[in-house]
Amino acid sequence: MKSFSEIDTTSKRAARAAGYSWGISEEVGKNIKLLEFFGLPGIKNLIYFLKKKKLEKFENLSLITADNKTTKTKFCPLISGTSFLDQAKSLENLKEIKFNNIAFPILFLPFVSRASELIGKRLFLKIDKSEYLLNFNKKIYSNFLTNDVIEFADNVLIKFLNNSDSFTENEWKELYKLSEDTFVEERESLKKDSAGAGLTDND
């Protein structure tokens, strides 16, 4: 089994060899390592994407808006993802962001996961019919359970979720009341029986 360090380094070199800057390539290395850590097919999608890049030109999306559309060709997932990560703190005010026609969207996903950690909010990501809940770059919950390559997505949606508890205030009070059963009222007899409470020193 390949180490995450090997995955990071080799993915970075492959991206650099494909013509990306060292800065973008560094991001690719981190992202493929992250995808493989979460059990998603990062290496497989990267291989297909880099081969496709030799034959097809992808559009670079630099400035992210609420609704990002391309009619010429597909958005490059690496440039688009880097732009999203760089602008994440200002983009959260939009609440919801849409993209159409992103190439190999699995490669876009880890940028969104890392943005979740950066801004301290959970993010919901929908890639056509596949849904992902990104939890501060610690966990990914998804209904995407295959190991397939996804060459492009017609529609990608990102929602910024407000941080909130999964329980009500009454449920919290009820739990706290149950926890009070562990509190023992301190009595004078307990003080005398406890270690070090004697009146004489035998040492």
Side-chain angles (χ1 to χ4, degrees), residues 5-51:
S5 177
E6 289 176 295
I7 291 172
D8 186 334
T9 300
T10 305
S11 299
K12 175 174 61 180
R13 289 176 177 172
R16 181 67 182 118
Y20 288 101
S21 68
W22 275 117
I24 297 295
S25 300
E26 290 277 355
E27 300 300 326
V28 172
K30 294 174 186 176
N31 286 352
I32 300 304
K33 177 177 68 174
L34 189 65
L35 285 171
E36 294 296 331
F37 176 78
F38 287 131
L40 294 169
I43 287 179
K44 182 180 289 188
N45 276 269
L46 181 63
I47 290 170
Y48 276 80
F49 169 69
L50 294 180
K51 287 182 176 180

Side-chain angles (χ1 to χ4, degrees), residues 1-201:
M1 184 174 179
K2 303 302 180 188
S3 69
F4 289 123
S5 177
E6 289 176 295
I7 291 172
D8 186 334
T9 300
T10 305
S11 299
K12 175 174 61 180
R13 289 176 177 172
R16 181 67 182 118
Y20 288 101
S21 68
W22 275 117
I24 297 295
S25 300
E26 290 277 355
E27 300 300 326
V28 172
K30 294 174 186 176
N31 286 352
I32 300 304
K33 177 177 68 174
L34 189 65
L35 285 171
E36 294 296 331
F37 176 78
F38 287 131
L40 294 169
I43 287 179
K44 182 180 289 188
N45 276 269
L46 181 63
I47 290 170
Y48 276 80
F49 169 69
L50 294 180
K51 287 182 176 180
K52 195 82 170 181
K53 184 178 180 294
K54 293 180 180 180
L55 307 173
E56 184 177 343
K57 183 175 177 62
F58 297 105
E59 183 175 347
N60 294 335
L61 179 59
S62 300
L63 181 63
I64 307 292
T65 62
D67 196 2
N68 305 275
K69 296 181 178 179
T70 174
T71 55
K72 300 177 183 178
T73 182
K74 303 176 185 71
F75 285 126
C76 170
L78 307 184
I79 302 299
S80 302
T82 300
S83 298
F84 178 79
L85 183 60
D86 288 344
Q87 299 166 43
K89 287 188 176 181
S90 59
L91 290 173
E92 66 175 305
N93 296 323
L94 297 177
K95 304 298 182 183
E96 186 174 299
I97 299 175
K98 298 177 181 178
F99 302 83
N100 84 306
N101 217 10
I102 291 186
F104 295 85
I106 292 298
L107 301 179
F108 179 78
L109 184 153
F111 289 105
V112 184
S113 181
R114 291 168 60 194
S116 173
E117 179 182 29
L118 180 67
I119 65 175
K121 285 187 175 180
R122 293 183 179 89
L123 295 178
F124 171 78
L125 172 66
K126 187 173 184 180
I127 299 174
D128 288 336
K129 294 183 179 180
S130 299
E131 297 181 348
Y132 305 83
L133 179 61
L134 310 171
N135 294 271
F136 314 111
N137 206 28
K138 303 299 182 185
K139 290 182 180 179
I140 296 177
Y141 295 104
S142 172
N143 64 351
F144 177 75
L145 301 175
T146 69
N147 199 36
D148 296 336
V149 170
I150 303 177
E151 291 202 23
F152 72 94
D154 287 320
N155 296 291
V156 172
L157 171 69
I158 298 173
K159 289 184 178 181
F160 295 82
L161 306 179
N162 291 327
N163 292 331
S164 62
D165 297 323
S166 63
F167 47 85
T168 66
E169 183 62 26
N170 284 338
E171 288 170 335
W172 175 252
K173 289 178 179 178
E174 186 176 358
L175 178 64
Y176 190 84
K177 186 175 181 180
L178 291 171
S179 75
E180 290 180 332
D181 290 344
T182 63
F183 301 160
V184 179
E185 183 179 353
E186 190 175 30
R187 299 190 303 272
E188 192 65 29
S189 60
L190 290 176
K191 291 181 181 180
K192 291 181 180 179
D193 293 339
S194 62
L199 297 178
T200 60
D201 189 349

